[in-house]
Amino acid sequence: MSDHEGAVEPTLPEPAEESPRVTVLFAGQSQAWADWIGQQLERAGHPAVLIRWDPLHLKPADSALADLLEPPGHILVVLDDWYLRFDSEKYQGWARLLRDTLPLHRDRVAAVSVTAKPLPPAAATLRPVALRGVGPDEARRRVLECAGAPGRPGGVVLERPIRFPDDRPGIWNAPRRNRQFTGREDAFERVHDILAASGEEGGRVVVHGLSGVGKTQAAMEYVHRFAGEYDIVWWVGAAAKASAREGFAALAPALGLPQGSRLGEVITAVRGALETTGRRWLIVFDGAESPEAVGELIPEGPGHVLVTANSPEWPGLSAQLVQLPPFDREESVAFARRRAERLGEQDADRLAEAVQDLPLLLDQTATWIANNPAASIADYVRGISQGDPHTVSTMPSREYPASFQAAWSKTLNSLHETSAEAWELLKLLAHFSPDSVPLRLLQNARVSDLPPHLAALVTDPSSWNSALRTLSRVTSTPLEYDDPGRLGTRTVGSLRIHRLLHRFVRGSLPDQEHERATATACRVLVAADPRDPAGSHNWPRYAELIPHLEPSGALTSTDPDVRRLVLNCIEYLRVRGEFREGRRLSGLAVESWRPLSGPTDGLVLVATHQLAHMLRQLGEYGRAEELGRDTLRRLMAEGRGGIEVVRAKNGLGGTLMVLGKYAEARALFEEAAGETAALLGDWKVPRLLAIRHNLAVTLALQGHYAKSLSRHDEVLEECISVLGGKDHLTLQAGLYKAQMLRLMGRYGEALTIQEYNHRLHRQILGDDHPQTLTAQHNLALCLRRDGEPERARGLLHEAREAMLRRADATAFTCDYAMLLRDLGRHDEAHELAAEAAAGYEELLGADHPYTIGAYDNVALVLRETGEHRAARDLSERNLRAFTRVLGHAHPWTLGCAMNVASARAADGDLPGAAELGRSALVRAVTSVGQTHVLSVNLQAGLAQDLRALGRRAQAAELLRDAVTTLTVALGENHRQTAYMRSGARPYWDFEPMPV
């Protein structure tokens, strides 16, 4: 059978006579088989009617079967595990009815079996034909033969082929199916109906309910039951935000997407691929604690998303809620009796009453009954009901009902009596994350890191596997197996401990046992640390380690090795661009370590530095500045020096640079560069190159373009020498050199360098890396200044759209607005310019240079649209602000003065325009030089104002000199030269520098 998308099987024209109908009866859990069987019948030319049949809540009656037998045609019964219930005492009436009635209609009734288990006599009398264990072609032949439906030509079939149920989707990572699952038919039907009816907009369902009601198990059953409807099924453990993001991004290779260095970029790429693919997909986010944990991951488009969560509060997701309550009593009794065959109806009912019909407790208590065949069921149920915990070194808790504690205590007692090794293992495993306990890490741990009894267990495969099986059997804890290796052997890779049981075990341990388990767990994690968070081959390991840092106690440890593990995990998050999780972890580390070791302890300082970096990346500059100043003050007060002080000065300088405090930032960078050089001599290490790069950027922000260009040139040459031409620092240095050439007015040189630099960025870092997008942004600005606005617009539009999906794109928006203004699209330009200005004001404050400059762009657009008074008022305000913040001679102040002079002239104030233009020109010549494009444009604007005032000779001379200077610099045919010759008013627009 073809599994290709959109495959259409060729068929002959539809026959004139009507084919007999076939009714397919199935229990809900065999929906996928029924759908497939129905399509095979339809394609063979026989109409199929699918009927979900679950009459067991009704009394057995001949009329129920008569209704099914009344319509003409054949009946095909799909027998699965649901029919095993006919062996139970409760359903003997239905069993007799089926056994006595259906064989009488053998000419019309046939059956196929899709279970691997022996069927009860009531079902076996139908002599079912097995479909499991055969391929799709043979299964199709058997279905048609059983249904009395020989293959005959049908009409042209246009619908997509349904996958053979025993074949998994091409992309699949769901957990193994729980073959003992039962119940929840109403919930499955509702979820399926919601998703099936969602159409092209896609369906989003949140299944919510109390902890322990079986949400994860229900989701597992759903994906297995309806897997045939999808080409992609991807399961994401979402209990922790970090692991949810990694789990979702892990879909990228299966979709043929590259694995970038920034996790956010990979997530965006995966979302984009799902939103545009023609394949049918289902993404499950299991155990999400809040919308914030998975909201950024959920794709749009025509696929399906299933979320399991405790809370029903999911605003903004546009999801439909389906509550999963505890079992109803009938489900509880059926479930318990399936888990423990010796349970009678009344005992199962009393057990369900004792545990409040909670599936988790039913599973564990029924398992205890099954594992203790000699124990009195009545005494066991009575003990639970009365809340009389029989414990093994456990401590009662007020967090849970007494009956729950009694049930768990008996389970733990049984585990201890059955296998002391398994009990000791469980106490240790309770100090890892419950969602995926890392058994491989324990197996690979150093023997010296484990207590003797566990070391002996881990090193003996037979004892290890026996303990795991016992633990799983006694506590109903699911095991997850790794894929078979080359020898075809499946090994247990991880297990999931339900959070209720996990918390109970941890809370019941005495302090001494808790401390011993914590120390052991931390040693296991330290041994698993690759100690290289920058290496992409180590990223899966760090993603695996992070969820265990808190439950293991690593974040509160005083052990230096454990703290280095935590710092490596934080550095991994920084490298991957996971700044929110990095802020959270580094914040917890600083909060815990400072009181224990002091704020200037070496490892505490590293954590503090990382926290400040995360805060800067998230735009929390005020907090970053406060933290940076406090750290540097403490170090200086203690008379500390060396690399710790250098790191503190460089970090604080970076924060101050973003905040617009350029003079103080420059002083810190100069000190840090000098101290690093004194410490390391002539070694051109990356740290020193990075500090010198920051210093060069600050010089440019202060308006010292020539000095900045010289420093960037030096840094670029040394980066090439030390790091090679393809390192990201080398690429960054090339980008900034091109930027400075552009700001110096050397547009041709800047464009040549930036085109090459952008090509290298794409080759080495990939198209969607933020630094590549910044390189594309700079290339667009070079093209704009060199006279190619349309090409610039296309590149900047593309870069801005990509950056909007990844990070702050205010700078891109600011420059894109000015490009649109150049092209005459004034309404769009005004909207985007205002958006950028408001964004900077909110992020950085009203007095930040970027906010002032962005608002001057708004004034520029207002002047273009004829709002001269509003433009002048806004520009005058901006000029006062720039002068106050940056001084009279800064290029941004001078550029704003050019715009104010133009606004005054447009508003009829020619003397005021000429006076401002003359003073600004004098300051510009001193600041950037007489031949700089800023000075030349100020001169041309002054010439226009003088001519309007009647001083034509002086105006002509000034304009002629300005045109000549620009022609020499850019060429006679350059767009800017032609613009000046045309007599159009010169202008300046603000371009925020990337910092």
Side-chain angles (χ1 to χ4, degrees), residues 59 92 204 299 319 345 374 378 499 601 613 764 789 792 845 883 963:
K59 291 183 178 180
Q92 285 302 306
R204 313 287 179 265
E345 294 279 344
R499 290 182 163 234
D601 171 82
H613 178 84
I764 297 166
T883 303
V963 171

Side-chain angles (χ1 to χ4, degrees), residues 345-682:
E345 294 279 344
Q346 292 184 347
D347 286 335
D349 187 276
R350 283 193 290 268
L351 178 64
E353 178 71 26
V355 298
Q356 301 175 27
D357 294 295
L358 193 70
L360 172 67
L361 268 296
L362 275 170
D363 191 14
Q364 293 170 341
T365 53
T367 297
W368 189 95
I369 291 171
N371 291 337
N372 295 272
S376 166
I377 294 175
D379 290 346
Y380 175 74
V381 175
R382 189 180 306 111
I384 293 174
S385 300
Q386 294 174 354
D388 179 22
H390 178 49
T391 64
V392 182
S393 303
T394 58
M395 301 170 64
S397 167
R398 295 181 178 180
E399 187 176 356
Y400 317 102
S403 61
F404 288 18
Q405 295 184 64
W408 283 324
S409 296
K410 288 179 179 293
T411 294
L412 298 183
N413 184 61
S414 177
L415 180 65
H416 182 263
E417 293 174 351
T418 305
S419 171
E421 293 87 354
W423 165 237
E424 292 296 326
L425 180 60
L426 177 61
K427 289 192 291 185
L428 174 59
L429 298 184
H431 291 79
F432 294 95
S433 170
D435 300 295
S436 182
V437 178
L439 299 179
R440 287 186 301 272
L441 301 187
L442 279 173
Q443 289 178 283
N444 296 330
R446 296 172 299 198
V447 173
S448 59
D449 289 332
L450 301 172
H453 61 282
L454 285 179
L457 179 67
V458 168
T459 54
D460 179 2
S462 177
S463 299
W464 171 255
N465 290 328
S466 176
L468 287 176
R469 285 193 296 269
T470 300
L471 176 60
S472 175
R473 176 173 54 84
V474 173
T475 64
S476 297
T477 299
L479 300 175
E480 290 295 328
Y481 291 85
D482 290 334
D483 291 332
R486 286 178 295 177
L487 300 178
T489 304
R490 296 183 70 91
T491 58
V492 178
S494 63
L495 58 83
R496 297 192 310 276
I497 304 175
H498 196 280
R499 290 182 163 234
L500 284 177
L501 179 61
H502 184 269
R503 287 201 301 269
F504 181 77
V505 173
R506 285 177 65 96
S508 66
L509 293 178
D511 290 343
Q512 288 185 337
E513 288 200 60
H514 176 69
E515 290 170 5
R516 284 197 297 269
T518 292
T520 301
C522 286
R523 289 195 298 270
V524 169
L525 295 177
V526 167
D529 181 6
R531 295 172 175 79
D532 178 21
S536 58
H537 56 287
N538 294 323
W539 293 345
R541 171 55 58 86
Y542 282 109
E544 181 183 13
L545 293 176
I546 286 173
H548 305 296
L549 295 180
E550 291 177 81
S552 69
L555 289 171
T556 57
S557 174
T558 59
D559 186 324
D561 288 336
V562 178
R563 288 186 173 182
R564 290 188 188 94
L565 158 72
V566 173
L567 292 173
N568 284 340
C569 289
I570 294 170
E571 174 64 7
Y572 153 79
L573 292 169
R574 187 195 68 80
V575 171
R576 291 289 264 162
E578 293 298 282
F579 303 123
R580 285 184 173 82
E581 181 66 9
R583 174 187 59 187
R584 190 183 73 83
L585 278 185
S586 57
L588 289 173
V590 170
E591 181 182 350
S592 172
W593 298 352
R594 267 193 168 192
L596 297 172
S597 306
T600 57
D601 171 82
L603 297 179
V604 175
L605 285 172
V606 175
T608 304
H609 172 70
Q610 287 281 28
L611 175 57
H613 178 84
M614 304 296 180
L615 291 170
R616 281 197 303 273
Q617 293 294 330
L618 293 170
E620 298 182 43
Y621 303 119
R623 284 188 61 197
E625 179 185 8
E626 180 183 347
L627 190 62
R629 288 191 186 279
D630 178 71
T631 300
L632 183 58
R633 179 182 58 79
R634 292 176 185 273
L635 288 171
M636 301 304 290
E638 293 181 9
R640 300 277 285 274
I643 203 66
E644 292 170 347
V645 173
V646 167
R647 184 168 52 225
K649 288 182 176 180
N650 187 48
L652 178 57
T655 302
L656 296 176
M657 180 169 60
V658 175
L659 287 172
K661 302 176 181 181
Y662 303 138
E664 190 178 359
R666 175 182 174 182
L668 286 170
F669 289 140
E670 287 175 337
E671 291 173 12
E675 291 166 17
T676 304
L679 284 169
L680 303 175
D682 291 333

Side-chain angles (χ1 to χ4, degrees), residues 186-209:
D186 290 344
F188 290 143
E189 187 170 349
R190 186 175 175 200
V191 171
H192 185 265
D193 287 347
I194 292 171
L195 295 179
S198 61
E200 292 300 314
E201 294 182 2
R204 313 287 179 265
V205 173
V206 175
V207 176
H208 65 94

